[in-house]
Amino acid sequence: RKEVEQDPGPFNVPEGATVAFNCTYSNSASQSFFWYRQDCRKEPKLLMSVYSSGNEDGRFTAQLNRASQYISLLIRDSKLSDSATYLCVVCFGNEKLTFGTGTRLTIIP
Amino acid sequence: DAGVTQSPTHLIKTRGQQVTLRCSPISGHKSVSWYQQVLGQGPQFIFQYYEKEERGRGNFPDRFSARQFPNYSSELNVNALLLGDSALYLCASTLLTVNTEAFFGQGTRLTVV
């Protein structure tokens, strides 16, 4: 079983729609959780950290369910500029970030 | 302030050769990590260095080695290159530990032919 699992997509969503991604992780002792965004042929960039209480940043909402070991990302009112690959990232200890395969999202005009 | 810088941006090597990739972290950041990203996959952890000491190593063969210098810059070396080493190599810089935000360089795209 992979440490972090994501649906690779692709998700093709019309502009203005709401889209949700889920991610599961295997290590129950994982401590930190993030969503990174990666544009084509670019480096990953932090989109948002994910907290147990859930957190929101504009059109983006992230949720963490420790009991079920999954993380979600919700994008509302999607824009063309949201087209990218979204990477679920889990951190155990202080050594490394463990990335999922990434979910590819394309927003269609 | 400059972000994380990596050099070179692109590299073509032949099988069996050796390669050295370089990374300069954000000023003040003491931790540098290296990741390998194969096309269609997420980045895979190779090494982490903090204060010039290796703090973590991923599941990569001994052909991969790295070091961190007193100015916190880092080098990743790969010996005896294989076709499967073709990937984007990413360097990530963090202030202290990886629990804080990691800033990535633009990467070095290595092609082994």
Side-chain angles (χ1 to χ4, degrees):
Chain A
R1 183 185 173 187
K2 288 184 179 179
E3 292 181 85
V4 179
E5 295 205 58
Q6 288 183 255
D7 181 346
F11 283 59
N12 298 314
V13 173
E15 194 175 4
T18 296
V19 60
F21 306 135
N22 290 324
C23 160
T24 58
Y25 60 95
S26 60
N27 188 340
S28 60
S30 297
Q31 298 167 311
S32 304
F33 309 88
F34 309 93
W35 283 101
Y36 275 72
R37 170 192 169 129
Q38 187 171 26
D39 292 294
C40 187
R41 304 186 75 82
K42 298 283 189 179
E43 73 275 18
K45 292 184 179 179
L46 180 66
L47 178 66
M48 56 198 306
S49 301
V50 188
Y51 305 113
S52 296
S53 55
N55 47 303
E56 188 174 309
D57 183 1
R59 298 181 293 108
F60 298 83
T61 301
Q63 296 275 355
L64 167 64
N65 185 321
R66 287 187 181 270
S68 301
Q69 293 178 214
Y70 85 77
I71 307 155
S72 65
L73 177 68
L74 183 77
I75 306 175
R76 291 181 299 277
D77 186 25
S78 54
K79 312 289 184 190
L80 295 177
S81 58
D82 294 334
S83 296
T85 295
Y86 290 83
L87 295 159
C88 176
V89 184
V90 172
C91 184
F92 170 70
N94 296 325
E95 292 180 356
K96 66 174 185 176
L97 301 176
T98 301
F99 288 79
T101 303
T103 298
R104 189 171 170 185
L105 172 67
T106 301
I107 305 301
I108 303 166
Chain B
D1 277 342
V4 180
T5 57
Q6 290 187 244
S7 63
T9 55
H10 295 82
L11 202 52
I12 299 175
K13 291 284 190 178
T14 57
R15 279 179 296 174
Q17 283 190 311
Q18 176 265 342
V19 68
T20 298
L21 311 181
R22 295 175 177 84
C23 171
S24 293
I26 291 171
S27 177
H29 283 196
K30 299 180 179 181
S31 176
V32 169
S33 299
W34 287 95
Y35 292 82
Q36 180 197 65
Q37 187 173 24
V38 174
L39 194 63
Q41 300 293 319
Q44 295 295 309
F45 172 73
I46 310 175
F47 286 109
Q48 191 219 358
Y49 278 80
Y50 178 69
E51 286 279 17
K52 302 180 287 294
E53 290 189 5
E54 183 184 301
R55 291 298 183 94
R57 174 184 285 254
N59 188 24
F60 280 81
D62 292 343
R63 300 184 295 109
F64 288 77
S65 63
R67 55 180 175 168
Q68 187 177 33
F69 298 99
N71 66 352
Y72 302 112
S73 67
S74 178
E75 286 182 351
L76 175 70
N77 294 285
V78 187
N79 293 323
L81 285 167
L82 303 174
L83 295 179
D85 295 331
S86 296
L88 179 67
Y89 288 84
L90 294 161
C91 172
S93 159
T94 51
L95 182 60
L96 293 173
T97 68
V98 294
N99 286 338
T100 56
E101 179 177 357
F103 295 85
F104 285 85
Q106 82 282 9
T108 294
R109 192 164 296 279
L110 172 65
T111 302
V112 182
V113 298

